[in-house]
Amino acid sequence: MAVDTWCGKAYKQGYEIALSFVMRRPMRSSLTVDVLLLDVSIRPRHNFYLADETLGSFIVAAKASHIHGQPYNDPQEIPDQQIELRDQANTTTGQLQKGDVLAVKIFHTDTGVDIITIAAIAFDETDREYSISLDSFQPRLTPWPITLELRKRDGTKFRATTELSYLPIPRGPQSFSRIDSLRNVLQVRTEEGPYWQKIFPYTFYVSGAWLAGSPDNLKKLSSLGYYVLHIVPSGDGIGYDLDQLDAWFDEAEAIGLWIMLDMRWTYQNRDYVRIQVERYKRRKTMLLWYTADEPDGHGDPLDAPSKAYAFIKSLDPYHPISLCLNCQNYHFQEYSAGADIILADVYPIGTNTEYSNKYHTPCNTTYGDCGCDNCHTTPSSPALANIPSRLALWSQFQTQLGLPPKPVWTVPQAFTAQDFFTRTPTPKEVVAMVLLGMNHGANGAVMWVFPTAEEIVHLTSLFSLRATGSEVGQFVLRGKGMEVEVKGEGGAGRVDARAWRDRGQALISAVGLWGEGEGEGEGAKGEVKLVLPWGVSVKAVGRTVWGSREPWRIDGERGLVRRRMGGTESWLFVVDVEDWD
């Protein structure tokens, strides 16, 4: 008997008892062990380097674990020990003080030729960066296998492997885009090079039918401040009129739009994939590929995204591959393996998370579809909180699975009321969803879908023009930021906040979580207090990038305060802090 499912769960009436699909979890507590393990890993900071680059780096971790790794005795403290760390480029990378220290050796797996031999890392240290010379690598399309060896004082060795891609530069026009895995940031450059530019992709999925409706529509989109073009293809044939797509690429290049090419309907068809990749991989506006759209919901073959990934990489190693997952956790491991970048479309606004407005059935972990898989919205848990919850869970999955961290971007809900969703998000809610993603490590946002309500277009366009430029980028794209403690009657449990620092300044993002009709919503009252991390003092409140005119005030040495912050009000502002450098 054929049964319609979404996220592995039957969702239509009549199957409540007959069928129950239990979602697969990547890790279970029973897989942990009592013995202390050392989980050793290594990865290149960038997923590839180009032939004209002379320096690269590896990111090494020596994490304490009870899931992955080799047995390790309890760390022994070494009083007053200090080791100056120097990499192959003879650059001082820092000092370790006290704690168990392991010697670091990195070498070519095939030949045994050393890359780094005089370095060290502390027990339970993560994200230690080691700069290297690329002199021992020759440009080629095949990655170079690399081995990491850590050694304790008693001679015990721990090993991990990775690959480094050092690619030749093709002749002729070309764009390049790659991932900085230390910051989870996208970098781009053209053949003119050699400088890489960090970008925060901020845009909409754009209806191909709307785009084709007027020769002026592409310019209109660009004028609104959305600088990445993601066209939603039709479900017919290859999904595009290729002559029309060629013209859009030409125009995008002329006005400075990057293109995220969507192959959702054809990514399992190698002939169609080859046609698109070979035709557009050399275009100067090509940013990244997009293969599967909600394969976990549709129940695509588990290995389909990975097969497409390997095939596309064989044709074009110079651009990342992305996909979008809809389910909280339905074969997350298998589907996410098919991408460099994962998008999360969590749609929490205007839906009943316990009973389907569309199918008139209950929703729980084994049955039903409410439009937001396993989301929870209650009087004590606002709808917007489902976004940071999903991002945190996926980060936990990657850690539990022992996977290198992959960037996760958000797909903010920006469409009008339909199906499961009884109302359209307010413009403030859409901006809040973008900032919530940014607060929790999502360095990209692709809203669904354009065209949409004019008021949403107006505010998201204004946000792009004010808040996605170089001033915000200098903070957000340089580091992962730190959580800001939120206090006060109007703040605790109502506001999500984060801070990024750059020399003597910090960028603060504060987002109200309570949307229209939730809790006290826009009527929330009481002081909101923010306490900065790092133990630094606030010297002055600087420019407001986004938010109302009423300023934040300094409250004590590390604090900031304002009278109230209603509903989904959002803030981005800069403060001067004591210089810690």
Side-chain angles (χ1 to χ4, degrees):
M1 178 176 59
V3 178
D4 293 327
T5 64
W6 190 263
C7 297
K9 298 182 282 188
Y11 57 82
K12 290 185 176 179
Q13 292 181 346
Y15 297 108
E16 296 94 328
I17 299 176
L19 292 165
S20 178
F21 295 77
V22 179
M23 294 189 296
R24 180 176 178 175
R25 300 287 188 255
M27 276 293 163
R28 298 176 181 173
S29 58
S30 60
L31 296 179
T32 62
V33 295
D34 293 333
V35 178
L36 179 65
L37 305 175
L38 183 66
D39 182 16
V40 175
S41 64
I42 179 173
R43 67 184 190 274
R45 174 164 179 173
H46 300 98
N47 61 310
F48 67 82
Y49 296 92
L50 291 175
D52 60 357
E53 296 182 272
T54 59
L55 294 177
S57 64
F58 289 108
I59 308 300
V60 174
K63 296 185 292 186
S65 175
H66 290 280
I67 299 176
H68 302 287
Q70 298 172 238
Y72 188 96
N73 295 328
D74 291 336
Q76 299 177 4
E77 197 167 78
I78 306 174
D80 301 321
Q81 179 167 356
Q82 294 187 355
I83 299 179
E84 185 176 60
L85 305 181
R86 290 187 175 270
D87 53 38
Q88 189 177 6
N90 202 35
T91 302
T92 301
T93 59
Q95 288 188 335
L96 301 177
Q97 296 183 356
K98 299 185 178 181
D100 217 358
V101 177
L102 299 98
V104 174
K105 179 181 180 181
I106 301 173
F107 58 91
H108 287 270
T109 305
D110 293 341
T111 63
V113 172
D114 291 332
I115 301 170
I116 288 180
T117 56
I118 305 175
I121 190 170
F123 177 84
D124 204 27
E125 185 174 7
T126 61
D127 290 345
R128 164 68 69 172
E129 184 176 13
Y130 299 94
S131 297
I132 63 165
S133 167
L134 295 172
D135 289 347
S136 64
F137 298 87
Q138 295 298 316
R140 67 185 195 185
L141 295 177
T142 305
W144 292 87
I146 303 296
T147 297
L148 164 71
E149 181 181 279
L150 301 187
R151 189 180 73 253
K152 290 176 61 178
R153 288 182 302 158
D154 64 8
T156 305
K157 296 179 180 179
F158 305 84
R159 284 193 171 186
T161 60
T162 190
E163 293 180 330
L164 183 143
S165 290
Y166 191 50
L167 299 176
I169 300 176
R171 294 180 179 178
Q174 173 83 40
S175 68
F176 308 97
S177 51
R178 70 182 183 186
I179 297 167
D180 176 349
S181 72
L182 184 61
R183 306 300 183 204
N184 277 342
V185 168
L186 195 63
Q187 296 182 333
V188 296
R189 65 172 264 193
T190 62
E191 82 278 0
E192 287 87 1
Y195 302 108
W196 291 91
Q197 175 188 359
K198 299 174 183 178
I199 66 170
F200 184 101
Y202 173 77
T203 190
F204 274 90
Y205 290 79
V206 178
S207 164
W210 174 84
L211 197 61
S214 169
D216 298 324
N217 280 346
L218 195 55
K219 290 186 176 67
K220 176 181 178 180
L221 195 73
S222 176
S223 70
L224 293 170
Y226 314 121
Y227 50 89
V228 175
L229 176 61
H230 185 136
I231 307 167
V232 180
S234 73
D236 299 325
I238 203 168
Y240 301 99
D241 176 330
L242 293 182
D243 291 336
Q244 175 68 82
L245 189 55
D246 289 344
W248 285 334
F249 265 90
D250 291 341
E251 188 175 357
E253 181 175 338
I255 62 180
L257 281 177
W258 293 100
I259 291 184
M260 185 174 179
L261 190 61
D262 191 322
M263 297 186 282
R264 67 179 63 201
W265 306 118
T266 59
Y267 84 95
Q268 296 185 63
N269 184 318
R270 282 202 168 196
D271 291 336
Y272 283 162
V273 169
R274 183 188 296 275
I275 289 170
Q276 294 173 89
V277 174
E278 293 290 4
R279 193 175 183 113
Y280 299 112
K281 67 181 183 181
R282 302 296 297 274
R283 299 298 295 251
K284 293 175 70 172
T285 56
M286 185 65 210
L287 182 64
L288 72 159
W289 308 103
Y290 181 94
T291 57
D293 186 76
E294 301 180 338
D296 49 349
H298 294 290
D300 289 359
L302 297 181
D303 61 353
S306 293
K307 286 181 176 179
Y309 179 91
F311 183 58
I312 294 171
K313 286 294 184 183
S314 73
L315 302 174
D316 175 26
Y318 298 97
H319 298 97
I321 298 167
S322 62
L323 57 71
C324 180
L325 298 182
N326 177 259
C327 309
Q328 182 195 47
N329 176 26
Y330 184 66
H331 294 287
F332 175 86
Q333 178 178 5
E334 291 85 353
Y335 288 124
S336 67
D340 300 303
I341 298 168
I342 309 165
L343 283 80
D345 57 351
V346 183
Y347 301 150
I349 303 299
T351 185
N352 184 337
T353 58
E354 297 181 353
Y355 188 85
S356 176
N357 295 323
K358 182 175 181 178
Y359 298 110
H360 309 293
T361 57
C363 293
N364 52 51
T365 57
T366 61
Y367 178 75
D369 179 7
C370 283
C372 192
D373 187 49
N374 290 348
C375 291
H376 298 285
T377 301
T378 67
S380 60
S381 179
L384 288 177
N386 287 289
I387 294 171
S389 174
R390 181 71 56 88
L391 296 179
L393 189 65
W394 284 6
S395 176
Q396 178 186 337
F397 287 170
Q398 294 190 66
T399 299
Q400 290 176 332
L401 290 164
L403 300 173
K406 293 184 177 182
V408 177
W409 297 354
T410 55
V411 182
Q413 180 182 347
F415 51 86
T416 55
Q418 58 188 269
D419 294 332
F420 306 98
F421 310 98
T422 58
R423 71 174 179 87
T424 300
T426 67
K428 285 185 177 182
E429 286 173 331
V430 177
V431 171
M433 285 185 267
V434 174
L435 282 174
L436 280 172
M438 193 172 77
N439 283 5
H440 294 269
N443 287 325
V446 186
M447 297 168 280
W448 182 269
V449 58
F450 195 95
T452 186
E454 282 299 320
E455 58 270 23
I456 291 177
V457 173
H458 172 74
L459 199 67
T460 56
S461 170
L462 189 61
F463 179 82
S464 177
L465 297 172
R466 288 187 183 178
T468 63
S470 59
E471 181 177 21
V472 173
Q474 80 178 64
F475 293 98
V476 176
L477 300 183
R478 289 189 59 175
K480 295 181 179 179
M482 291 188 69
E483 182 179 355
V484 171
E485 184 181 2
V486 181
K487 296 182 176 182
E489 180 185 356
R494 295 182 173 278
V495 175
D496 183 277
R498 198 162 187 86
W500 297 262
R501 64 186 189 183
D502 183 38
R503 294 182 288 273
Q505 292 186 314
L507 176 73
I508 313 296
S509 169
V511 185
L513 293 172
W514 291 88
E516 183 178 285
E518 293 184 323
E520 296 180 43
E522 296 294 336
K525 298 179 180 179
E527 278 193 338
V528 180
K529 295 184 179 182
L530 306 179
V531 181
L532 265 62
W534 313 300
V536 299
S537 299
V538 180
K539 297 196 300 184
V541 177
R543 193 175 88 85
T544 296
V545 179
W546 184 260
S548 65
R549 293 182 179 180
E550 181 186 351
W552 290 80
R553 295 177 286 106
I554 296 175
D555 179 50
E557 287 193 354
R558 295 171 53 203
L560 295 155
V561 65
R562 60 180 284 109
R563 289 183 302 168
R564 63 182 291 262
M565 189 169 168
T568 50
E569 185 178 1
S570 300
W571 277 79
L572 274 175
F573 62 103
V574 178
V575 296
D576 295 332
V577 296
E578 65 178 7
D579 196 344
W580 42 77
D581 291 339

